[in-house]
Amino acid sequence: MNIIFIILNSLIDILLVVVPLFLIVAYTTYSERKIIGFMQSRMGPTRVGPYGMLQPIADIIKLLTKEIIIPSNANKGLFLTAPIIMLVPSLLVWSVIPLSEYFVIANINAGLLFILALTSLSVYGVILAGWASNSKYAFLGSMRSAAQIIAYEIAMGFALVGVLMAAGSLNLQEIIISQKGGIIHWYWIPLFPLFIIYLISGIAETNRAPFDVSEGESEIVAGFHVEYSGITFAMFFLAEYMNLILISILVSIMFFGGWLSPFESTFLEHYFNWIPGFIWLSIKTLFFIFLFLWLRATLPRYRYDQIMRLGWKVFLPITLVWIFLEGFMIYYKIQPWFSV
Amino acid sequence: MNAELIIFYLFSIFLIISSMRVVISNNPVKSAIYLVFSFFCSAVLWLLLGAEFLSVILILVYVGAVMVLFLFVVMMLDINLSEITSGFVKYLNEGIFVFIIMSALLILFFQNQFADTNKNIITEIIIISDSNTKNLGYILYTEYILAFEIAAVILLLGIISAITLTHKKKSDNKFQDPDMQVNVKKEDRIFIVKDEDSK
């Protein structure tokens, strides 16, 4: 009886996260088309529903009902597993994300490491999709993308090493609590270079503009998922947008105090006490999602050798130097961040 | 039968099957993927032992980094499949020889090592916290600092020697110097030709 209760409880927890997540992904695609449209003096989708609000629903129905075309001579098993391998890690990561001070599906000790390990798995989806498609363009796209993901993963990992040094814990709730005390106590000030590097590497890791050479429409059509159609394509799409939201929420947690209020320990504190932590986290996350869409509308695509140079020769040395400096800051207990 | 035991046996069976498929599979890419899966299974087994740090690091380093590069190389190489599959019986004698020696050594090792089980339990560890990540970090940076640093230096040496072996300046290198690209001026690219006749 007890075990049934536990299973039911965690099932409800999972549904509470996954169902809203899918809705958010659907409306991120809508807002992306709308925001980029406005930035480029267009209207974006307007036809389906009021202000085109039902466009993502129509897209989903279209993708679900389309045929899955498997190319001849493709490795059928791997071709169909690749989207699943892509999607599962990006869904799994959400189990350790603290969405408010009370709600997290699994509050594990090695949360940060768990996130790093799972985000490093999504590269398999890209590589296998490119290889199994038996297509030159898909293979080129996946090779580009894999090299890029490996390069930026290292800088990303080191940026997070900085965060865990400052917090003294791998547990995400403890990382947030260690930033307590208002906007100046958040880690974006002492770890500013690491924050910038994490943000940029996050964009590169999710293969979004200006680092979207793996898709490179003008050179290699659509990159690793060029042969995919229908629901298999939708899964790649879903994983990409889920990673985008994930990076935004991780930046908010690691450098912007997660569900903490920015007005803590100021005179404004008790005016904003009634706002739950979840709302603060959502505001921060939505801002970073908007930033990613904004960058896509603004910046041209990077050249491939410049991407590699930026990852290996610029970001990696900066993170190493800053971790060293941070060690000094912790040793000399620089206030107000490193008081313990 | 509790859930832990079921998970243990399930993933042990998966581990054994996928490790065998690494050797048997005739497609090198499939072998690499089975190797990834066997790493994953052993990470689950470590997790069952309560070593959450080691198991997540196994996934992060071996699955997330090493095997990706491995897969990368295997896919880029144009490997003749018929050559690989034909060699399976050809090297059977040598294979059996190596198998016998390896298993003999392993049996010897385990009989010596685990004959007295108390010998293997490390008792004099200062446990500073209930988190096994913290304990591991503490031990690595106090008791075993020398071995840890030596391992780090050896790895660094490996990286540097691999780079010096492969990195040669080629004459047909088309590398563009980013400093020169950034500092380029209008005069370097455009000549303004005065049209004399139009006056």
Coordinates of all heavy atoms in Angstrom, one line a residue, chain A residues 17 31 59 93 99 181 290 319 328 332 335:
Chain A
V17 N 5.2 18.9 -13.4 CA 6.3 19.6 -14.1 C 6.2 19.4 -15.6 O 6.3 20.4 -16.3 CB 7.6 19.1 -13.6 CG1 8.8 19.6 -14.4 CG2 7.8 19.4 -12.1
S31 N 6.0 32.5 -29.1 CA 6.6 33.9 -28.8 C 7.8 34.1 -29.6 O 8.1 35.3 -29.9 CB 6.8 34.0 -27.3 OG 7.6 32.9 -26.9
D59 N 0.4 23.5 -35.2 CA 1.7 22.9 -35.6 C 1.8 21.5 -35.0 O 2.3 20.6 -35.7 CB 2.8 23.8 -35.1 CG 3.0 25.1 -35.9 OD1 2.4 25.1 -37.0 OD2 3.6 26.0 -35.4
V93 N 16.5 16.2 -16.7 CA 17.1 17.2 -15.9 C 16.1 18.0 -15.0 O 16.5 18.4 -13.9 CB 17.9 18.2 -16.8 CG1 18.5 19.3 -16.1 CG2 18.9 17.5 -17.6
L99 N 11.8 24.4 -8.3 CA 11.0 25.4 -8.9 C 10.5 26.4 -7.9 O 10.0 27.5 -8.2 CB 9.8 24.7 -9.6 CG 10.2 23.9 -10.8 CD1 9.0 23.1 -11.3 CD2 10.7 24.8 -11.9
G181 N 19.8 37.3 0.5 CA 20.2 38.6 1.0 C 20.1 39.7 -0.1 O 20.9 40.6 -0.1
F290 N 13.7 35.5 -23.3 CA 13.5 36.6 -24.2 C 14.9 37.1 -24.7 O 15.0 37.4 -25.9 CB 12.8 37.8 -23.5 CG 12.7 39.0 -24.3 CD1 11.9 39.1 -25.3 CD2 13.6 40.1 -24.0 CE1 11.8 40.3 -26.1 CE2 13.5 41.3 -24.8 CZ 12.6 41.3 -25.8
T319 N 37.8 31.2 -17.7 CA 37.2 30.4 -16.6 C 38.3 29.9 -15.6 O 38.1 30.1 -14.4 CB 36.4 29.2 -17.0 OG1 37.1 28.5 -17.9 CG2 35.1 29.6 -17.7
F328 N 41.0 32.9 -4.2 CA 41.6 34.0 -3.3 C 40.4 34.7 -2.6 O 40.5 35.0 -1.4 CB 42.4 35.0 -4.1 CG 43.8 34.5 -4.4 CD1 44.2 34.1 -5.6 CD2 44.7 34.5 -3.3 CE1 45.5 33.6 -5.9 CE2 46.0 34.0 -3.5 CZ 46.4 33.6 -4.8
Y332 N 40.2 34.9 1.4 CA 40.2 36.2 2.2 C 38.8 36.7 2.6 O 38.6 37.8 3.0 CB 41.0 37.3 1.4 CG 42.4 37.0 1.4 CD1 43.0 36.5 0.2 CD2 43.2 37.1 2.5 CE1 44.4 36.2 0.1 CE2 44.6 36.8 2.5 CZ 45.1 36.3 1.3 OH 46.4 36.0 1.2
Q335 N 33.6 40.2 1.5 CA 32.1 40.4 1.8 C 31.4 41.0 0.6 O 32.1 41.6 -0.2 CB 32.0 41.4 3.0 CG 32.7 41.0 4.3 CD 31.9 39.8 5.0 OE1 30.7 39.6 4.6 NE2 32.5 39.1 5.9

